[in-house]
Amino acid sequence: MHGMSLQGTDAHRDNDTLPALVQQAVEAARTHGFAFSCRPEQGRLLQLLAAGAPHSIAETGTGCGVGLAWLASGAAPGTRLISIERDAERARIAAEVFRDHDHVEVVHGDWRQIEQYGPYDLLVLDGGGQAKGDGTADPARLLTAGGLVVIDDFTPATTWPPHFNGEPDEPRLHWLEHPELRAAELRLAADLSVIVGTRLPGG
Ligand SMILES: C[S@@+](CC[C@H](N)C(=O)[O-])C[C@H]1O[C@@H](n2cnc3c(N)ncnc32)[C@H](O)[C@@H]1O
């Protein structure tokens, strides 16, 4: 397998080290043949960032709930989590994973519905709102002061300005140079980066 990257659902193979809720979500994703769960590297980052979110966390693109399970496994008991998925079947499967977790809500619909429940201490963009063609989330409206946004799934950049398919990588630049954020690219694996941004005071 060297040099080949696994898709997120399959990359969660080392079951014994995973939180129970993550195991359940991975199992649900497998059962339904959904390959595009977040990678475990991303999951572990979400778990630790969730611990720093005192009140509320939101995610766009629930899939079958793997990233949401990592978030819920790290969040303090009083923190509310909401995730939105536009595919009805996936939303139903994910809701089932969290049926006994009252503080976790899975909503079926377009990512833009997160605006109805914000602002959030932590916002994870994993399906809509990433400035990659399906809308762009506005940190000034969606984040609390000092709140964090995580944009998943970039290829590690090796040039400045960053390029993607030979063109300047506009989504990446949008987040890294956002006037209301202090943002950085974090390399989580040789083939996987995320961008993390904190909302600046007054931004
Ligand atoms: C990469 S997968 C999400 C993986 C998931 N966060 C996890 O950690 O397992 C992207 C998901 O976003 C959903 N999606 C794409 N566009 C969306 C939109 N506009 N609104 C809501 N969900 C969307 C897709 O249906 C897909 O299930």
Side-chain angles (χ1 to χ4, degrees):
M1 293 302 287
H2 189 75
M4 232 182 98
S5 79
L6 286 170
Q7 284 168 335
T9 303
D10 280 347
H12 282 84
R13 284 175 305 184
D14 198 4
N15 246 357
D16 296 349
T17 68
L18 302 175
L21 198 54
V22 174
Q23 290 183 26
Q24 287 171 39
V26 169
E27 205 44 51
R30 284 216 181 95
T31 302
H32 294 276
F34 180 69
F36 306 109
S37 302
C38 72
R39 296 253 301 264
E41 296 92 332
Q42 162 82 345
R44 291 187 196 283
L45 175 70
L46 297 182
Q47 183 185 41
L48 79 88
L49 294 180
H55 305 295
S56 59
I57 297 173
E59 178 190 49
T60 69
T62 319
C64 293
V66 174
L68 187 58
W70 279 108
L71 288 164
S73 74
T79 302
R80 201 167 53 83
L81 296 97
I82 181 160
S83 183
I84 308 216
E85 170 57 55
R86 75 174 170 195
D87 180 90
E89 169 86 348
R90 277 172 224 154
R92 188 185 58 70
I93 291 158
E96 181 69 10
V97 171
F98 299 96
R99 66 186 178 279
D100 296 330
H101 298 258
D102 292 345
H103 60 299
V104 182
E105 190 182 354
V106 177
V107 176
H108 171 222
D110 186 77
W111 74 269
R112 289 167 183 83
Q113 288 185 42
I114 53 170
E115 291 179 356
Q116 293 168 25
Y117 308 90
Y120 305 100
D121 304 310
L122 174 61
L123 171 62
V124 179
L125 301 175
D126 201 18
Q130 297 163 299
K132 294 180 180 175
D134 194 4
T136 305
D138 178 4
R141 289 178 63 186
L142 290 171
L143 291 183
T144 58
L148 262 169
V149 61
V150 180
I151 306 100
D152 190 18
D153 208 9
F154 289 91
T155 304
T158 52
T159 61
W160 189 264
H163 282 74
F164 189 67
N165 292 337
E167 301 287 325
D169 189 343
E170 297 298 344
R172 192 175 325 227
L173 287 167
H174 171 83
W175 295 110
L176 288 175
E177 300 189 327
H178 201 294
E180 279 144 2
L181 296 174
R182 180 155 289 139
E185 180 178 322
L186 296 183
R187 200 169 291 199
L188 301 182
D191 59 345
L192 175 67
S193 283
V194 297
I195 293 173
V196 177
T198 309
R199 189 179 152 202
L200 292 167

